[in-house]
Amino acid sequence: MLDQGAPPRQATPGARGLGTRLMRRKPVERLVAEGGQGEGGALRRSLGLWQLTMISIGATLGTGIFVVLGEAVPKAGPAVTLSFVIAGLTALFSALSYAELAGTIPVAGSSYSYAYATMGELIAWICGWCLVLEYGVSVAAVAVGWGEYLNELLDGTIGVTIPDALSAPPGDGGVFNLPALIVVLLAMAFLLGGARESARANTVMVVVKMAALVLFCAIGVQGFRSGNYEHFMPLGMAGVSAAGATLFFSYIGFDAASTAGEEAKNAQRDLPRAIMLSLVIVTALYVLVAAVAVGAKPWRHFNDSEAALAQIMREVTGQSFWGTLLAFCAVIAIASVVLTVLYGQTRILFAMSRDGLVPKVFSRVHPKTGAPRANTVIVSLFCGVLAAAIPLGQLADATSIGTLFAFALVNIAVVVLRRTRPDMPRTFRVPFSPVFPALGFGFCVWMMGSLSTVTWVVFGVWMAVGLVVYFVYGHRRSRLATPEG
């Protein structure tokens, strides 16, 4: 039986129209068969359910709470807790679609590969280009917040801080954000050692960050004032949705887990479980910590602080020790986000390179470590420089729109694959399909509409650049463009 996604192998690029070439799909069986194979070596399958779940939590838990909470509260007021719920609900519907596709197509490319198998090469490229924005900019955004907590830690321990000129990007009162660059380079060093070693380091950091958030709730609740929840929604539903759109980028952890499909021991069984388990844990902690934070500090006093939790700990206890302790935990916690999201970015580019859409250097695998070393170095340097030069708020919103667009495509892909390949074995199935995928798609579009005009302009320019890159490079060098490919 012919695979519905397979292009005619005997055809050449010139023998088919442009539209046909743009819609060429990569068969699921071929995607799976090529799993792990790179230039000069192969990725190693060393990750179990525990490690995959920790990758999900590591990439998710920390960004929305430790970094962006201070930016989201002024947009929604006390209703920021509702913003977390809305963002989590949006993520849930998309996570269900991710879980089904991750169990069916367990490969490194995440939503890029899912789109390639269902909607064709052009849509896959657009999705992959969005993932580059989502992951690369997310690494930079989180790295910026890491520098804020590092200053809190230094101030509480030795009484000095890094000067603004070296701890803030241009536009935020600085010249170059050196701490942001440093944390990205540290994550790069771990990733160069291989997936298993990186997963071990991440697990330790995840345990630390979860303990830190539980500690914050235990202490922060002592400063809880019900009056802080008066006028629960001062900026209306528009403020709630705007904050939710900003916070949504902190839910990309399960997407990071799906990028580990070619390094998981039993990807079809473990990936869906890791995705759903991590989302439940993260959402519960996000809502709980946000509720305690707003109850302990009037929402108007957050003032876009990127180290809000440490400040609350210090204000509630009247002592610098607890704020310093939380800052220490946050430094470790946010580093784990940088590590795991950077990991996801390298694996997506690995898959795109293997398909010929980006240069081969991104799919070269080191024979000893089983890691794409050149890929890791290039991506890390790019993200590090971005983190050092761009303010956090612009980075967070740019990440959100890229994430939402990619998630919307995944919700479409799961419905398309159900129709084109209904008999394909699935280890997890989205309940009430196509209703739940449609809801996931609708939520994503709604939250995209809540983002600012500037964010949309940046996104439009990014997509235009991506299309130019595709037609100049990727379209011509795609492995599906030639019979031997």
Side-chain angles (χ1 to χ4, degrees):
M1 180 181 295
L2 292 174
D3 187 283
Q4 297 184 32
R9 296 302 299 273
Q10 73 279 8
T12 63
R16 292 176 287 170
L18 177 63
T20 301
R21 298 199 301 273
L22 296 180
M23 294 300 292
R24 55 196 176 206
R25 290 177 289 171
K26 190 171 183 179
V28 174
E29 290 78 7
R30 182 173 173 180
L31 279 166
V32 175
E34 291 179 353
Q37 299 302 313
E39 293 287 327
L43 302 177
R44 297 175 182 174
R45 294 193 176 273
S46 59
L47 305 177
L49 175 61
W50 173 252
Q51 289 87 355
L52 293 170
T53 304
M54 290 298 102
I55 287 175
S56 280
I57 297 177
T60 308
L61 190 58
T63 51
I65 288 296
F66 286 108
V67 178
V68 189
L69 181 64
E71 186 147 334
V73 171
K75 294 181 179 180
V80 71
T81 53
L82 184 57
S83 298
F84 271 112
V85 172
I86 292 174
L89 186 61
T90 303
L92 173 62
F93 287 119
S94 296
L96 291 170
S97 294
Y98 263 98
E100 176 169 329
L101 292 173
T104 308
I105 313 174
V107 293
S110 184
S111 50
Y112 155 76
S113 294
Y114 309 153
Y116 213 163
T118 57
M119 291 177 281
E121 186 172 281
L122 178 61
I123 301 300
W125 169 264
I126 292 173
C127 187
W129 194 247
C130 283
L131 291 174
V132 171
L133 178 66
E134 170 190 336
Y135 278 87
V137 178
S138 177
V139 169
V142 178
V144 171
W146 186 83
E148 293 288 327
Y149 275 99
L150 180 62
N151 261 339
E152 289 279 336
L153 177 60
L154 293 175
D155 185 41
T157 52
I158 60 177
V160 299
T161 59
I162 302 173
D164 288 344
L166 294 178
S167 63
D172 275 1
V175 177
F176 192 80
N177 193 330
L178 183 60
L181 175 61
I182 289 174
V183 71
V184 175
L185 295 180
L186 288 173
M188 179 187 74
F190 277 111
L191 291 174
L192 290 176
R196 182 168 57 184
E197 290 71 17
S198 301
R200 288 173 178 170
N202 174 66
T203 297
V204 173
M205 291 188 281
V206 168
V207 171
V208 170
K209 79 168 76 177
M210 293 179 69
L213 292 176
V214 171
L215 176 65
F216 169 81
C217 291
I219 294 177
V221 74
Q222 299 175 30
F224 192 92
R225 300 290 183 270
S226 59
N228 290 340
Y229 274 91
E230 292 180 1
H231 308 295
F232 180 70
M233 202 180 294
L235 302 176
M237 197 61 198
V240 173
S241 62
T246 296
L247 291 169
F248 188 79
F249 98 103
S250 58
Y251 281 92
I252 67 171
F254 61 84
D255 186 285
S258 69
T259 65
E262 296 177 20
E263 289 162 286
K265 295 177 182 177
N266 190 338
Q268 291 181 310
R269 182 196 67 188
D270 292 340
L271 282 178
R273 296 179 181 180
I275 288 170
M276 300 312 301
L277 181 60
S278 63
L279 184 62
V280 170
I281 293 172
V282 165
T283 302
L285 277 172
Y286 274 169
V287 173
L288 178 62
V289 173
V292 171
V294 175
K297 183 175 184 175
W299 70 274
R300 294 182 183 276
H301 296 170
F302 275 76
N303 298 323
D304 292 346
S305 169
E306 289 155 11
L309 299 190
Q311 293 177 6
I312 291 172
M313 292 275 276
R314 185 169 56 247
E315 292 168 3
V316 168
T317 62
Q319 301 175 7
S320 61
F321 170 77
W322 294 108
T324 303
L325 178 61
L326 187 75
F328 169 75
C329 294
V331 166
I332 296 175
I334 297 173
S336 77
V337 180
V338 175
L339 174 65
T340 49
V341 176
L342 191 63
Y343 166 85
Q345 173 71 95
T346 60
R347 270 47 180 183
I348 289 165
L349 286 172
F350 174 87
M352 296 177 73
S353 173
R354 186 171 56 202
D355 292 332
L357 301 185
V358 298
K360 289 184 178 181
V361 65
F362 291 101
S363 58
R364 290 176 186 166
V365 177
H366 193 274
K368 292 184 178 180
T369 63
R373 283 194 168 184
N375 181 344
T376 301
V377 171
I378 293 171
V379 171
S380 299
L381 292 177
F382 171 79
C383 292
V385 172
L386 192 66
I390 306 295
L392 172 63
Q394 298 175 25
L395 290 173
D397 284 349
T399 305
S400 290
I401 198 168
T403 304
L404 287 163
F405 191 86
F407 284 9
L409 291 179
V410 169
N411 283 293
I412 296 174
V414 76
V415 175
V416 171
L417 195 62
R418 285 274 192 102
R419 292 181 177 275
T420 58
R421 302 293 301 275
D423 299 327
M424 178 172 289
R426 291 168 169 82
T427 56
F428 177 87
R429 300 178 70 90
V430 178
F432 305 110
S433 180
V435 176
F436 276 14
L439 287 173
F441 177 82
F443 269 116
C444 289
V445 172
W446 174 55
M447 295 191 76
M448 287 177 70
S450 301
L451 293 168
S452 67
T453 302
V454 173
T455 302
W456 274 97
V457 171
V458 171
F459 181 67
V461 172
W462 177 258
M463 296 309 298
V465 172
L467 290 175
V468 171
V469 172
Y470 172 70
F471 284 107
V472 170
Y473 184 92
H475 178 66
R476 300 173 182 275
R477 290 171 171 78
S478 169
R479 291 186 62 196
L480 294 186
T482 57
E484 62 272 16

